[in-house]
Amino acid sequence: MTRFRSHRFSVAPMMDWTDRHCRLFHRALTSQALLYTEMVTTGAVRFGPRERLLGFSSEERPLAAQLGGSEPEELAEAARICEGFGYDEINLNVGCPSDRVQDGRFGACLMAEPDRVARGVAAMKAAVSIPVTVKCRIGIDDQDPEEALDRLADAVVAAGCDALIVHARKAWLKGLSPKENRDVPPLDYDRVFRLKRRFPDLPVSINGGIGSIEQARALLEPRDGVTLDGVMLGRAAYQNAELLLAVDPLLFGEAAPHADARAAVESLFPAIEAHLARGGRLSNFTRHMLGLFPGRPGARAFRRLLSEEGPKAGAGLDVLRAALDLVGDARPSAVAAAA
């Protein structure tokens, strides 16, 4: 069974957030994390503008493509296309609770159809040579999380699934919005540890409510003799991307790619210049940087300048340089502690 060292830490796929510009920014902060695309539907992969949807730069790797879909043949075709683009992993979304994915019969509603998920996994495994993984919830609505997660895991493991990433909350498809589904259902980390105990040879990663690299490291410690294989951060990694500088030192025992967030941003200047030369906007990059420098003198002015000037036609690197110059130079405490 394939085991990526990078499964030890990953940044979650997040709609409207983890595009190629965001991923390049995150890669400047951690060389070891496994990154994910936004969820892309099988229909979009098969019939949409593939280069725009799936294109990426080699610097983003290791990189997984997350698919949304439920028809085995369509999943297999989409997986082949993604493999052709050079992705390192195909991940099937069995956790998104939005109305749109429910209408399309994919995402979290597939927790109720483990056999269908298994058929999709088996079809993708037969179609590609790279790992096929599943990201799921512990259950939906009135399901018993013990039974629901075990049924799904049994089915997909039998189909050849290479790893499970478990968001340790239920998804309530009726009565809660997608935003509420990220906060309201209670977290149950112990349920993920029980799953790992049941499948000791299956790589299992945990996701949901993890707010720091220190907390991530704690979740990778043995619990009652069980050790998880990986941790996935979502909103915390996006909204406070500076914490990603601590990933390589604290979780992999290696130096961060850059000494601080300013140096990481400056390393992106050539990529940003090339993007601007192709007709792109500065804000395609800088909108992902607004959470930098929390609590630092000048952080508010940094955000305001990028928010107001970054989206304007013709905005260039001079805007980003001016914004960086507004911020104090203190290093992130987590990186300093790990150095």
Side-chain angles (χ1 to χ4, degrees), residues 185-206:
L187 288 162
D188 188 353
Y189 292 154
D190 288 342
R191 179 64 189 94
V192 184
F193 279 86
R194 290 195 296 275
L195 177 73
K196 177 62 182 179
R197 182 182 295 279
R198 191 162 177 266
F199 293 95
D201 296 325
L202 175 71
V204 174
S205 296
I206 193 167

Side-chain angles (χ1 to χ4, degrees), residues 12 54 72 74 94 107 110 116 144 164 181 203 213 221 227 231 248 278 287 309 330 335:
L54 297 175
E74 296 174 3
V94 188
L110 288 175
R116 174 179 285 273
D144 176 358
L164 272 176
N181 263 297
I213 306 306
E221 294 296 322
T227 304
V231 176
D248 294 2
R278 293 191 298 268
R287 74 185 186 94
E309 300 298 324
V335 178

Side-chain angles (χ1 to χ4, degrees), residues 34-296:
L34 176 63
L35 304 181
Y36 283 78
T37 67
E38 304 169 83
M39 183 188 70
V40 58
T41 66
T42 54
V45 171
R46 294 162 65 226
F47 305 117
R50 291 178 185 172
E51 179 57 37
R52 182 174 65 81
L53 292 169
L54 297 175
F56 66 91
S57 60
S58 60
E59 291 89 346
E60 297 169 46
R61 299 180 67 185
L63 180 62
Q66 187 183 67
L67 295 177
S70 60
E71 296 298 330
E73 297 82 4
E74 296 174 3
L75 285 166
E77 182 182 353
R80 279 193 296 268
I81 293 167
C82 290
E83 183 180 39
F85 269 79
Y87 285 94
D88 297 294
E89 174 186 315
I90 306 297
N91 178 261
L92 179 61
N93 184 314
V94 188
C96 181
S98 77
D99 292 340
R100 184 170 69 87
V101 300
Q102 290 183 58
D103 291 342
R105 202 181 179 188
F106 56 94
C109 64
L110 288 175
M111 291 293 300
E113 299 185 78
D115 292 340
R116 174 179 285 273
V117 178
R119 291 195 298 273
V121 168
M124 289 189 288
K125 287 290 294 181
V128 301
S129 59
I130 57 177
V132 174
T133 66
V134 170
K135 185 173 187 291
C136 64
R137 295 284 186 130
I138 60 174
I140 56 172
D141 298 333
D142 294 321
Q143 284 184 330
D144 176 358
E146 296 299 323
E147 178 183 355
L149 186 56
D150 279 353
R151 284 182 61 219
L152 181 78
D154 284 340
V156 299
V157 168
C161 179
D162 290 291
L164 272 176
I165 303 102
V166 184
H167 186 152
R169 305 180 196 266
K170 272 189 174 185
W172 287 92
L173 305 182
K174 301 173 183 177
L176 291 181
S177 69
K179 181 179 185 299
E180 290 169 328
N181 263 297
R182 293 191 291 266
D183 295 299
V184 175
L187 288 162
D188 188 353
Y189 292 154
D190 288 342
R191 179 64 189 94
V192 184
F193 279 86
R194 290 195 296 275
L195 177 73
K196 177 62 182 179
R197 182 182 295 279
R198 191 162 177 266
F199 293 95
D201 296 325
L202 175 71
V204 174
S205 296
I206 193 167
N207 171 234
I210 303 164
S212 70
I213 306 306
E214 291 78 9
Q215 185 184 2
R217 183 167 60 173
L219 285 166
L220 290 170
E221 294 296 322
R223 184 179 295 190
D224 297 327
V226 176
T227 304
L228 297 178
D229 300 276
V231 176
M232 174 182 278
L233 260 69
R235 284 171 295 158
Y238 185 88
Q239 294 168 347
N240 181 16
E242 199 163 356
L243 63 76
L244 293 175
L245 281 168
V247 168
D248 294 2
L250 294 183
L251 299 184
F252 293 91
E254 299 184 3
H258 297 95
D260 54 36
R262 181 184 179 111
V265 171
E266 289 173 343
S267 76
L268 296 174
F269 283 1
I272 296 173
E273 283 187 315
H275 176 68
L276 295 173
R278 293 191 298 268
R281 297 228 171 182
L282 181 67
S283 59
N284 296 142
F285 275 92
T286 56
R287 74 185 186 94
H288 302 299
M289 301 175 181
L290 299 179
L292 285 176
F293 314 118
R296 195 89 49 89

